[in-house]
Amino acid sequence: MLLTRRQVLASGAAMAGTIPFLPTTRAAAAPEPRTGKLRLTAGTRTLAVNGKPARVFGLIGPNGNPGITLLPGERFDVDLVNQAGTPTIIHWHGQLPPWKQDGFPWPQTPPIPAGDTQSYDYAPIAGTYWMHSHQGMQEQSLMSAPLIVRSAEDGRADRQEVVLMLHDFSFRTPDELLAGLTKSNGSQSAMTKSGMGDNMNMGSGSMAAMNMGSGMAQDLNDIDYDAFLANDRTFADPEVIRTERGGRVRLRLINAAASTQFWVDLGALSGTVVAVDGHPVRPVRGTRLPLAIAQRLDVLIDLPGNGVYPIFAQVEGKRARTGIVLAASGASVSPLATEAEENAPPVDLSLEHRLEAVTPLAPRAPDVRHRMILAGAMAPYAWSLNGEYWPNVTPLMVAPEQRVTIEMVNHTMMSHPMHLHGHAFQVVAINGAPLAGAVRDTVLIPPMGSVTIAFDADNPGRWAFHCHNLYHMMMGMMTEVRYPGIV
Ligand SMILES: [Cu+2]
């Protein structure tokens, strides 16, 4: 028997899951910044997915909701309490803390044992960020949550803030999912080794789409998921957010999926992208917006009336979609089709090309240029950077005060969302063509394409640099950016 979400949550199986995912916050009020430690609990909870109870992890903040929202001027002054029953470590994705607070399991910063508490205290940067486990594959089991740092400008803007966090979900364990990807190892062909994905060797959950321009088949969606969640709900039972009078919304989109990329479709609405990965960009209008794994988008939407407006997130290469519904108070919401009429194309750099940072890097020639080859294939399922597999890697060395560029060259038939910890970088070239692009922390490298990023080495430490597709990272696609003299 399938249970409704209400029945599952009422069955006693739910722990922290009975509260709404996130409140919407009214901008006008400007409460005093809090002082003292905020409590964040890593634990477990039960969701209702496709009418069945699903045991997942969760990160519950001081007000009982997932994650943390900081007010203008507040420090990230947090006690992280591990009640997950297993070691964990939480990464503050896109934030720029000292490296020992970054939440990566270096030998110097081991995971937090079950039952222990770890303290953090750093000055956050404003914008739409998120937090997720960097321990094992806990991220696939929803050990992730929003981390919103509101700016003084946000406080002055009269906009209703709406957070939309996306996840991919399976009733299988992450270990089972990974085993399903790696079991075909050994059937390697010369073609796959060269990066020309052999579709016949792909796992059952995989799909291919023609890569526009090249005419070659692009590999998409390594895993066949059971559901895609928006604020922990499927589109059969979406969160309905009642919009306030005036209908001025700031949508904070977060792709927290482990290995799924989405097209955000504003439906009947159009919006203005004003920030990517938390960093302001010059306004870009759009209705269908690509959102790679781990990326964020801030979109301003002025609702044209007091109607009902679904916000869709459709999986690349598939008809499957999830989303939320913006609805004026009193407006009745009809059920929505959980599948789009057509497969979505692969997520691409169509938006990236149009982005321009509000605060770009100061003009300067690079002191050090690194080049990184992204390699691997579906069969055997293995992914490397410069021919090396984590943890057996040669760090990319950078020194304080240096301007660094990294050219990432993708020799595979998948796209890879590459994320650098501890630094914001600017996208300065796509396929060799110079660009004064966005400042951000995660950029997609399309199949057989290249992207060059630049950053100033201003945060000494050890920093992970990896593909944010969880299964690519697990199979080796990670390296280290390292400063000299770090112990
Ligand atoms: Cu990858």
Side-chain angles (χ1 to χ4, degrees):
M1 187 189 79
L2 293 185
L3 301 173
T4 66
R5 177 172 177 274
R6 189 177 297 272
Q7 286 168 324
V8 170
L9 297 179
S11 70
M15 296 178 62
T18 51
I19 40 90
F21 183 83
L22 279 171
T24 61
T25 53
R26 189 67 187 171
E32 288 293 303
R34 292 161 294 195
T35 54
K37 289 280 178 194
L38 300 176
R39 184 183 170 97
L40 177 70
T41 303
T44 58
R45 57 206 176 113
T46 302
L47 303 178
V49 180
N50 300 344
K52 290 187 281 190
R55 190 80 173 154
V56 297
F57 289 120
L59 289 158
I60 303 300
N63 59 3
N65 292 320
I68 289 179
T69 298
L70 293 175
L71 303 174
E74 285 188 326
R75 287 182 71 82
F76 187 90
D77 188 6
V78 169
D79 275 344
L80 171 58
V81 183
N82 181 5
Q83 295 183 354
T86 186
T88 193
I89 190 162
I90 306 300
H91 169 54
W92 323 110
H93 185 114
Q95 289 287 320
L96 312 175
W99 75 281
K100 287 184 179 175
Q101 295 191 49
D102 183 51
F104 185 86
W106 298 110
Q108 298 92 334
T109 56
I112 307 162
D116 276 16
T117 296
Q118 179 95 48
S119 296
Y120 302 84
D121 186 14
Y122 64 86
I125 54 173
T128 301
Y129 294 86
W130 64 299
M131 57 181 79
H132 63 83
S133 173
H134 236 297
Q135 174 73 8
M137 292 187 282
Q138 291 175 356
E139 187 195 321
Q140 178 69 82
S141 301
L142 275 59
M143 187 74 100
S144 55
L147 171 49
I148 310 298
V149 183
R150 303 189 73 217
S151 68
E153 190 184 353
D154 294 337
R156 288 190 295 271
D158 183 25
R159 286 196 176 267
Q160 181 180 2
E161 299 210 354
V162 175
V163 176
L164 200 182
M165 190 173 212
L166 299 165
H167 283 112
D168 42 25
F169 175 84
S170 175
F171 283 103
R172 288 172 288 165
T173 66
D175 286 327
E176 289 172 316
L177 297 176
L178 183 61
L181 292 167
T182 56
K183 71 184 179 202
S184 61
N185 277 4
S187 61
Q188 182 178 20
S189 70
M191 283 204 30
T192 58
K193 193 176 180 188
S194 73
M196 304 297 179
D198 177 355
N199 293 336
M200 301 308 290
N201 282 344
M202 293 196 304
S204 59
S206 301
M207 292 192 63
M210 294 311 286
N211 181 21
M212 277 171 292
S214 73
M216 291 187 294
Q218 175 176 350
D219 295 328
L220 302 172
N221 299 320
D222 295 3
I223 292 184
D224 196 11
Y225 285 102
D226 293 318
F228 300 95
L229 307 180
N231 294 353
D232 291 342
R233 316 251 302 243
T234 67
F235 210 42
D237 174 32
E239 183 179 24
V240 176
I241 291 171
R242 295 295 169 178
T243 52
E244 299 172 359
R245 293 173 72 85
R248 288 160 47 83
V249 169
R250 184 187 189 103
L251 189 58
R252 296 182 184 268
L253 296 151
I254 304 169
N255 185 356
S259 72
T260 301
Q261 313 201 102
F262 294 90
W263 285 89
V264 174
D265 185 343
L266 304 180
L269 303 170
S270 67
T272 305
V273 176
V274 294
V276 297
D277 297 353
H279 298 270
V281 292
R282 303 213 176 276
V284 173
R285 298 281 294 173
T287 293
R288 282 175 65 82
L289 304 166
L291 190 59
I293 296 164
Q295 289 184 335
R296 287 87 65 211
L297 284 173
D298 281 39
V299 184
L300 305 185
I301 300 172
D302 292 338
L303 302 178
N306 290 322
V308 174
Y309 304 101
I311 306 290
F312 306 95
Q314 186 179 348
V315 178
E316 66 171 344
K318 288 182 180 281
R319 292 170 60 199
R321 64 186 181 186
T322 185
I324 59 172
V325 179
L326 305 180
S329 68
S332 67
V333 179
S334 309
L336 293 148
T338 56
E339 297 213 315
E341 290 182 0
E342 295 182 354
N343 288 343
V347 160
D348 60 18
L349 294 186
S350 55
L351 177 61
E352 199 72 53
H353 277 282
R354 300 170 64 197
L355 297 176
E356 199 181 336
V358 167
T359 311
L361 293 184
R364 179 177 162 186
D367 303 297
V368 54
R369 299 167 194 261
H370 289 292
R371 189 164 191 267
M372 179 164 289
I373 304 296
L374 285 54
M378 293 298 295
Y381 194 80
W383 304 92
S384 64
L385 296 173
N386 281 347
E388 297 178 328
Y389 297 85
W390 182 266
N392 302 309
V393 300
T394 308
L396 299 182
M397 297 305 295
V398 303
E401 315 296 325
Q402 284 181 334
R403 169 67 54 85
V404 181
T405 63
I406 305 177
E407 180 188 15
M408 292 170 278
V409 182
N410 187 351
H411 285 185
T412 82
M413 289 311 297
M414 283 200 82
S415 62
H416 302 279
M418 294 294 295
H419 170 51
L420 173 61
H421 288 218
H423 303 75
F425 56 74
Q426 188 175 15
V427 177
V428 296
I430 295 176
N431 293 329
L435 181 78
V439 169
R440 62 190 317 159
D441 56 58
T442 307
V443 67
L444 190 70
I445 321 298
M448 310 307 282
S450 75
V451 172
T452 305
I453 60 171
F455 63 93
D456 288 325
D458 55 6
N459 199 359
R462 305 183 69 175
W463 299 104
F465 182 36
H466 62 92
C467 177
H468 221 287
N469 183 316
L470 178 64
Y471 300 92
H472 295 189
M473 184 182 79
M474 292 304 293
M475 294 310 293
M477 205 166 209
M478 177 153 63
T479 189
E480 175 182 1
V481 168
R482 187 170 191 167
Y483 290 67
I486 299 298
V487 291

